[in-house]
């Protein structure tokens, strides 16, 4: 059912298919998480995630995704100052890196989209703090996902938590509706004002994804035309889940 401003409301059955897609996506990310260590290539992580997804009769959503050119991989793997959309390849993870892994899975026509950041080997206390704050800000946003609340309540909760620690959120990259398409209405910015925007109702499925920069909110895109980095070279992190709005508590679809 298409509702206000192009938002697609899912039936309970459709939400359960998204839950299955989300679980497979979580399995792929869990596999990757366990492989992260100094010396492993980002291509090896990508291959493992694709194996998990395909072995569950599902399809990597990102592969071939339209952009400056079709996205070439299953994962985006973004390291340190790379905020999002890093392309896997021969690069090896190093001790002390912060790596952000994003993955999408399409199963029976529906998509689960989620991401995590973690340290490689031993990381600095400052980097650990960034990871903790970013993850917590995701849950601050999710807490707002209740029937009758508004998109701006999610945005404001994320921004408030992030800025409390002196970090920033990008202005050009947002969370989003997700379902049969990876990017559906509405956009869910990581900054905004509470009480503004679309009212949440049961059957809305959103990817909430705080992206956090230790420095300013400015970003730029590398010559590969996909990888987004912090303009000042500061460390970044990214956490994401796909969540359904229900009559009650928010229903996180992209967990194991
Ligand atoms: Mg994602
Ligand atoms: Mg997303």
């Amino acid at each position: 059912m298409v509702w206000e401003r192009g938002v697609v409301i899912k039936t309970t059955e459709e939400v359960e298919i998204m839950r299955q897609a989300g679980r497979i996506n979580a399995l792929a990310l869990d596999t990757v998480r366990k492989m992260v260590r100094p010396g492993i290539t980002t291509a090896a992580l990508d291959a493992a995630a694709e194996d998990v997804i395909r072995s569950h009769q599902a399809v990597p959503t990102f592969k071939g995704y339209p952009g400056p050119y079709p996205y070439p991989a299953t994962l985006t793997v973004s390291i340190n100052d790379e905020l999002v959309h890093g392309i896997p390849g021969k690069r090896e993870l190093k001790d002390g890196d912060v790596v952000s892994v994003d993955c999408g899975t399409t199963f029976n026509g529906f998509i689960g989209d989620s991401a995590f950041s973690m340290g490689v080997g031993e990381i600095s206390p400052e980097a650990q703090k960034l990871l903790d704050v970013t993850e917590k800000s995701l849950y601050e946003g999710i807490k707002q996902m209740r029937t009758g609340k508004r998109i701006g309540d999610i945005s404001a909760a994320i921004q408030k938590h992030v800025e409390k620690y002196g970090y920033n959120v990008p202005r050009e990259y947002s969370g989003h509706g997700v379902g049969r398409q990876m990017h559906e209405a509405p956009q869910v910015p990581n900054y905004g004002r509470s009480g503004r925007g679309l009212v949440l109702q049961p059957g809305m499925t959103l990817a909430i994804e705080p992206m956090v920069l230790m420095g300013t909110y400015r970003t730029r895109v590398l010559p590969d035309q996909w990888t987004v980095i912090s303009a000042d070279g500061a460390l970044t992190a990214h956490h994401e889940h796909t969540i359904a709005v229900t009559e009650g508590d928010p229903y996180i679809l992209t967990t194991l």
Side-chain angles (χ1 to χ4, degrees):
M1 183 178 92
V2 177
W3 186 57
E4 204 179 328
R5 290 187 239 177
V7 174
V8 184
I9 299 299
K10 282 77 178 180
T11 64
T12 309
E13 293 72 25
E14 288 172 333
V15 169
E16 282 312 313
I17 299 172
M18 289 185 67
R19 172 73 182 115
Q20 291 176 310
R23 198 189 305 272
I24 297 165
N25 202 61
L27 273 172
L29 285 179
D30 190 54
T31 299
V32 168
R33 189 181 280 109
K34 289 170 177 155
M35 291 171 71
V36 165
R37 61 172 187 276
I40 195 161
T41 67
T42 56
L45 303 179
D46 190 72
E50 180 167 5
D51 277 352
V52 171
I53 292 168
R54 292 199 190 277
S55 72
H56 288 82
Q57 290 71 52
V59 175
T61 313
F62 295 0
K63 219 168 206 183
Y65 195 80
Y69 50 93
Y71 189 74
T74 293
L75 301 176
T76 69
V77 183
S78 311
I79 302 167
N80 297 332
D81 59 324
E82 297 174 356
L83 177 65
V84 286
H85 306 167
I87 301 172
K90 290 180 195 149
R91 183 169 173 186
E92 293 178 2
L93 299 181
K94 295 196 313 286
D95 190 46
D97 281 344
V98 166
V99 63
S100 301
V101 181
D102 196 343
C103 189
T105 295
T106 306
F107 180 73
N108 278 357
F110 285 90
I111 293 165
D113 181 13
S114 117
F116 70 88
S117 292
M118 67 182 281
V120 181
E122 192 132 336
I123 60 170
S124 69
E126 293 77 18
Q128 188 58 54
K129 177 93 176 286
L130 175 71
L131 292 175
D132 295 344
V133 169
T134 304
E135 188 167 13
K136 181 78 189 320
S137 72
L138 169 59
Y139 290 95
E140 290 297 315
I142 292 173
K143 252 196 248 171
Q144 299 297 318
M145 281 192 62
R146 307 190 75 89
T147 296
K149 291 263 193 181
R150 291 174 180 268
I151 295 291
D153 296 325
I154 303 170
S155 302
I158 292 169
Q159 182 179 21
K160 188 176 160 208
H161 188 76
V162 168
E163 292 185 352
K164 189 158 74 181
Y165 294 88
Y167 307 146
N168 284 292
V169 292
R171 299 308 193 253
E172 308 93 329
Y173 305 96
S174 294
H176 49 91
V178 54
R180 288 188 183 274
Q181 306 296 326
M182 186 158 68
H183 294 110
E184 296 184 349
Q187 279 201 20
V188 188
N190 290 309
Y191 68 99
R193 292 170 65 179
S194 58
R196 298 292 182 90
L198 207 63
V199 177
L200 305 183
Q201 69 163 67
M204 284 178 72
T205 46
L206 305 176
I208 305 298
E209 51 178 318
M211 302 157 211
V212 178
L213 304 109
M214 220 177 217
T216 75
Y217 60 73
R218 292 187 197 287
T219 62
R220 64 186 182 86
V221 179
L222 289 183
D224 71 16
Q225 298 182 76
W226 277 104
T227 311
V228 177
I229 64 168
S230 59
D232 58 8
L235 205 60
T236 68
H238 178 210
H239 278 267
E240 177 181 29
H241 272 307
T242 297
I243 306 106
V245 178
T246 74
E247 307 275 357
D249 294 335
Y251 180 20
I252 303 178
L253 304 176
T254 39
T255 56
L256 283 177

